[in-house]
Amino acid sequence: MPRRATVIDVARRAEVSSATVSRVLNGHYPVARATRERVEAAVRELGYVVNAHARALAGTSSRTVGIIVHDVVDPFFAHIARGVERAASEAGRLCMVCCTHGDPRRELAFVDLLHEQRADAVVLVGGAHSDRAYAREVARRARDLHSGGARLVLCGRPSVGRDVPTLSVEYDNEGGAFALTDHLLTQGHERILYLGGPPDLSTTRDRLAGHRRALELRGVTPAPELVHTGAFSPAFGHRRLTELLASGLTFSAVFAANDMVAIGALQALEEAGLRVPDDVSLVGYDDVPAAQVLRPRLTTVHVPLEEMGRQAVRIAVPDAESDAESCAWQPPPEGGLKLGTHIVVRDSVAARQGRVTG
């Protein structure tokens, strides 16, 4: 196998110093046009490839943004990851994607790995588990990243402490659930089955809080037997709703904790011979592309997923022309950056006859 070309080889071919080659490749220093052209020609002729690891060791940045998600197959995470990747590319940085599969230990390990790789920013996506020890570990890593000139961005999850140097991009999770529940209530539905979402996850807690607040403001007493939390997956939605239908539990609408749960719930209703929305109304959350192609099309809450990813990078990675002082971390505004949500009304909700309210 032929030996890979090095910076020294390029310098010899171009008849310049190794430092000049580095200046040309980094693009941060003025170099005479003729010199630059000779170096670029030598790079092409020798097939030289920049050693990203060596570049990272030579400075404080690897020009990389890391994103840590539960699973790239889940549309919620996939669309946020796409936003992160596009914004990172626009900022001249590579994007590294890490998948935890729901394991908090893997999440912390990936933060450590990205720190070792000198990533400019690490974006943690999705709800956080209610574990104080875990929150302390995240806070410690945020401080370590900050001390090395990097940033930890919490995307769609709560703060780990006001004094912790993190940035945040949130969305109005509780408000979206409130608005969606209120929509069902105005259509005459009071027996609303809430289905899905891990119970100890911040995302689930916020959505349940909005759901219950809407019920209470309309004078409907929340019924414990109508709340069934679990995985954010079609399999859970199908299995649990099939069990509940067989048990004889009565309800006129299903609030699926996300669109994936709604897909499984729709299958269970169809298998039971129930029509949506004629017999049971069904709503979801997130507004992933599948919500538009289901039949009936799914009423849901739109979350600006890709924009969340873009904003996570934009607030974390300073402009290349910014000076060091402007790049220093400052405590974000109370609550951080919060993006709005809104209901998308489609075909999966029907008014309960004789029970429509204003």
Side-chain angles (χ1 to χ4, degrees), residues 66-74 76-82 84 96-103 106-107 110 114 122-126 155 157:
I67 175 172
I68 302 175
V69 299
H70 176 88
D71 193 337
V72 292
V73 175
D74 187 312
F76 178 91
F77 297 104
H79 283 80
I80 292 176
R82 183 164 69 177
V84 169
M96 296 178 64
V97 181
C98 306
C99 298
T100 68
H101 305 295
D103 186 344
R106 284 174 60 86
E107 184 172 90
F110 280 133
L114 291 167
V122 177
V123 183
L124 286 180
V125 180
C155 188
R157 65 170 57 193

Side-chain angles (χ1 to χ4, degrees), residues 277-325:
D278 297 344
D279 300 316
V280 178
S281 289
L282 174 66
V283 298
Y285 205 114
D286 294 339
D287 194 25
V288 301
Q292 302 182 50
V293 299
L294 287 177
R295 290 298 179 267
R297 298 181 308 154
L298 187 65
T299 292
T300 186
V301 173
H302 177 77
V303 179
L305 300 173
E306 189 167 335
E307 183 61 17
M308 286 174 62
R310 284 182 174 273
Q311 290 296 342
V313 175
R314 289 170 179 166
I315 67 173
V317 179
D319 185 86
E321 297 178 358
S322 300
D323 57 34
E325 182 177 352

Side-chain angles (χ1 to χ4, degrees), residues 45-75:
E45 291 167 5
L46 295 172
Y48 174 72
V49 178
V50 176
N51 186 327
H53 182 63
R55 175 179 287 183
L57 293 175
T60 60
S61 168
S62 65
R63 299 190 65 77
T64 299
V65 172
I67 175 172
I68 302 175
V69 299
H70 176 88
D71 193 337
V72 292
V73 175
D74 187 312

Side-chain angles (χ1 to χ4, degrees), residues 218-230:
R218 289 283 181 178
V220 178
T221 302
E225 72 273 13
L226 291 176
V227 175
H228 291 263
T229 54

